[in-house]
Amino acid sequence: MGGRYRVTGKTYPRMRRPRKRGRIVALTALPVALLGVLGWGTLQLIDVFTGGDEASAAGSSAECATRPSPSPTPAKAYPRPDGITVNVLNATTRGGLAKKTADELKKRGFRIGEVGNAPAEYDKKVKGAGLLMGAPDTADTVLPVLGTQLAGAEVRPDAARRPDGKAKTPVVDLIIGDAFKDLATPVDADKALTALTAPAPDPKATRKGC
């Protein structure tokens, strides 16, 4: 270099040290990384309080939709009204009840057997609405069907009574008691019969959380 800027002897101009670019890059990247982590954490919190529940619910709904429904428990083999023969017996002091009741049961599909007064062992001794009696094997099949026609009637299997092998249908007795007013209405009787014969879901197979 010439002129006033000529360097002579052992004297040299002071030169600035080169900057360490790596440290600058690191210091610049650190805030960016922190901002990224904070942003990601915020999104996760939003997802937990909003979208997460919806996704979980959607997953549960999809799982429930694909899971097979529980099979209903088969109903007992209840007979139809036309498969039951009813003896209608009057144990009260009111005349004509047996005939009137028998005629109504016949309209509802039941077969009618004997119609008349109750035997001495029951005459004037039945305080309730009625007494339904039959052989032991009719206790949980035939008698409940007849019971849908008279709410509050007592079901009493008769151990001494044996099924009549010659009878085409099971034969049971309806003994009318002092509290008898009338048979259940056809609508109520049909509802009770439907509820009795409808298959019930198997409680062991009931799905939970759906």
Side-chain angles (χ1 to χ4, degrees), residues 97-185:
L97 281 183
K99 179 67 165 60
K100 178 183 177 181
T101 303
D103 289 345
E104 182 61 29
L105 287 174
K106 186 176 182 179
K107 291 178 183 178
R108 299 183 186 189
F110 290 88
R111 295 172 179 263
I112 303 301
E114 180 184 348
V115 178
N117 293 325
E121 59 183 313
Y122 298 108
D123 190 28
K124 303 179 183 64
K125 297 176 183 178
V126 180
K127 302 303 179 183
L131 180 60
L132 310 182
M133 298 186 64
D137 64 337
T138 66
D140 57 358
T141 53
V142 179
L143 292 180
V145 173
L146 179 58
T148 62
Q149 309 301 308
L150 181 56
E154 178 187 352
V155 176
R156 186 186 300 177
D158 186 0
R161 191 166 178 172
R162 294 289 179 266
D164 186 353
K166 296 181 181 180
K168 294 182 179 179
T169 63
V171 181
V172 294
D173 298 340
L174 167 56
I175 303 177
I176 300 173
D178 292 337
F180 177 87
K181 293 182 179 179
D182 206 345
L183 293 174
T185 66

Side-chain angles (χ1 to χ4, degrees), residues 33-52:
L34 289 174
L35 289 174
V37 171
L38 291 174
W40 181 83
T42 302
L43 290 176
Q44 292 300 312
L45 288 174
I46 294 173
D47 182 66
V48 167
F49 289 106
T50 57

